[in-house]
Amino acid sequence: MSLDTVQNLIREVEDFKIDTSSDLENFRLKFLSKKGLIGEVFSLMKTIAPQDRKQFGQQVNLLKQNAEEKFESFKLQFEEKTEQQQLIDITLPGEPLESGAMHPLSIIRNRIIEIFGAIGFTVSDGPEIEDDWHNFSALNFTEDHPARDMQDTFFVQKNPDLALRTHTSSVQVRIMENNKPPIRTISPGRVYRNEAISARAHCFFHQVEGLYIDKDVSFADLKQTLLYFAKEMFGTDTKIRLRPSYFPFTEPSAEMDISCTFCKGEGCNICKYTGWVEILGCGMVDPAVLENCKIDHQEYSGFAFGMGIERITMLVYDINDLRIFSENDVRFLKQFKGIG
Ligand code: PHE
């Protein structure tokens, strides 16, 4: 045994990393236990020449002392830690978990689903990337209809037959193609239009469209259904007004206003002093659309309507900028905690 061996051991003791109590146990086994390295060094002392023994002895004692000190100090640390752990009062109330808030668009979408669910409308779903047939052709859009224009629609570059759906009427085509009347369903979902983003317009937004097809469905059924919806959504004193309009897939078509929920019809900023706010488009399903979807228009008739969820949400919560819905600002979102 050389002096170097002892000095290397001193360094090894110093460098040994102890992070856990099992590291500490390994340290003890390696250096301090009966069969450990320090015991071995001691047993080799008698092989050292007498004149070198003093110097050796000093180094060996230093090695032993360092190892023991290191061991003791870590042992103490670990004991303190377990003591601290034992001092935790497990009867203390837990830290409250902060709950998130539902997005206002989801709250209103769910409310719309609930309102129509109560009168028998199911919920249906379809793809956001649609083909020309389901988004346009089946719905009677002529080849040169402006909605097909690149200005309005996001087309898929590699396949111009595909586009991001511009409305969820496409879902209704799918439903009509695959089901026999009576059909009574609403289709909520995200839609896309190539518009500049502003307080009033966005390149994507959300719609709920409704469809009811059966024998003898009339415009009166449509009007009553929408009146029921308006009263449920905005309060029982809400009035509705239908104005003639045009959509390629409904005939006759109308746009529906509700009496302004803010000024109760007296005139304010929101209703631009008219007392009325437009909330949806609707009409009787055009017989040509029924035929496109293999439904006999002699036997069946139906109505359809479509509304923007953003618009309804803005009216319910008095929000005046559409962009805030997609900015993910928690100061806005957390105001909806506990609702919905
Ligand atoms: N699809 C129309 C739109 O996106 C809304 C609508 C649906 C109008 C059904 C009439 C009937 O604007």
Side-chain angles (χ1 to χ4, degrees):
M1 179 174 69
S2 72
L3 205 54
D4 272 357
T5 320
V6 184
Q7 273 158 356
N8 281 343
L9 280 175
I10 289 177
R11 229 167 291 128
E12 248 188 79
V13 164
E14 203 175 313
D15 293 343
F16 196 101
K17 255 177 85 67
I18 300 176
D19 290 323
T20 62
S21 48
S22 76
D23 293 340
L24 183 64
E25 178 58 7
N26 288 337
F27 178 84
R28 190 189 69 80
L29 288 171
K30 181 167 180 182
F31 296 106
L32 295 167
S33 65
K34 264 196 192 138
K35 287 183 181 156
L37 290 170
I38 295 177
E40 207 178 307
V41 168
F42 268 98
S43 67
L44 289 170
M45 277 292 278
K46 47 186 182 300
T47 65
I48 306 293
Q51 68 272 27
D52 296 334
R53 225 170 258 172
K54 190 170 171 213
Q55 205 194 356
F56 248 96
Q58 275 171 356
Q59 291 301 304
V60 172
N61 277 334
L62 185 67
L63 168 65
K64 188 175 176 218
Q65 201 185 334
N66 286 359
E68 280 173 352
E69 273 172 15
K70 184 161 180 164
F71 178 76
E72 287 304 325
S73 87
F74 274 96
K75 195 171 142 197
L76 205 69
Q77 254 185 48
F78 288 131
E79 276 169 3
E80 270 171 13
K81 261 194 200 156
T82 40
E83 228 167 77
Q84 267 171 18
Q85 277 161 2
Q86 277 158 5
L87 281 179
I88 292 171
D89 180 355
I90 56 161
T91 64
L92 282 173
E95 301 232 344
L97 277 179
E98 268 225 56
S99 65
M102 184 118 64
H103 194 286
L105 293 177
S106 304
I107 297 172
I108 296 300
R109 181 203 52 209
N110 291 349
R111 180 76 191 116
I112 297 172
I113 291 174
E114 205 174 77
I115 292 172
F116 283 105
I119 54 169
F121 281 78
T122 60
V123 175
S124 44
D125 208 358
E128 289 186 19
I129 300 174
E130 257 307 357
D131 52 35
D132 179 274
W133 172 254
H134 292 97
N135 197 78
F136 293 127
S137 298
L139 290 160
N140 235 6
F141 281 83
T142 49
E143 277 302 323
D144 56 355
H145 194 280
R148 288 176 181 244
D149 199 300
M150 280 297 250
Q151 313 266 286
D152 284 309
T153 307
F154 289 114
F155 285 95
V156 174
Q157 227 166 33
K158 285 190 182 152
N159 181 354
D161 187 51
L162 294 180
L164 296 180
R165 67 181 177 196
T166 59
H167 50 187
T168 56
S169 305
S170 54
V171 180
Q172 310 190 335
V173 174
R174 288 176 181 276
I175 295 293
M176 287 190 277
E177 282 174 336
N178 297 313
N179 296 276
K180 287 208 174 340
I183 294 170
R184 195 158 28 173
T185 189
I186 55 171
S187 36
R190 183 174 283 185
V191 300
Y192 303 83
R193 289 183 198 175
N194 193 359
E195 300 210 29
I197 297 171
S198 72
R200 307 240 138 245
H202 210 293
C203 57
F204 69 80
F205 58 98
H206 302 80
Q207 280 191 329
V208 173
E209 296 217 353
L211 177 72
Y212 178 32
I213 297 179
D214 204 347
K215 288 180 180 152
D216 303 322
V217 176
S218 71
F219 202 92
D221 296 321
L222 168 62
K223 194 173 168 191
Q224 190 57 35
T225 303
L226 295 179
L227 177 64
Y228 155 78
F229 166 71
K231 285 177 180 286
E232 287 291 313
M233 192 77 225
F234 298 103
T236 45
D237 54 351
T238 309
K239 296 184 186 61
I240 62 167
R241 172 173 94 168
L242 291 167
R243 284 177 290 102
S245 185
Y246 172 78
F247 299 102
F249 37 88
T250 46
E251 183 58 37
S253 305
E255 271 166 327
M256 185 178 98
D257 301 336
I258 55 164
S259 50
C260 181
T261 48
F262 295 95
C263 64
K264 305 283 170 225
E266 279 181 18
C268 71
N269 242 345
I270 308 282
C271 61
K272 300 196 193 84
Y273 299 93
T274 63
W276 297 95
V277 193
E278 185 203 319
I279 63 159
L280 56 81
C282 60
M284 301 306 291
V285 181
D286 193 303
V289 174
L290 294 178
E291 288 305 310
N292 284 342
C293 301
K294 312 265 177 300
I295 291 176
D296 183 356
H297 77 273
Q298 307 283 8
E299 196 178 350
Y300 295 104
S301 57
F303 66 70
F305 57 86
M307 66 188 98
I309 303 180
E310 274 80 352
R311 182 140 185 84
I312 309 283
T313 310
M314 287 165 96
L315 288 171
V316 171
Y317 293 120
D318 193 9
I319 294 166
N320 56 17
D321 192 328
L322 198 72
R323 289 168 291 198
I324 202 162
F325 289 127
S326 46
E327 275 168 359
N328 268 347
D329 186 332
V330 280
R331 290 169 304 175
F332 169 67
L333 295 173
K334 73 180 180 193
Q335 296 176 79
F336 299 92
K337 249 186 208 180
I339 309 178

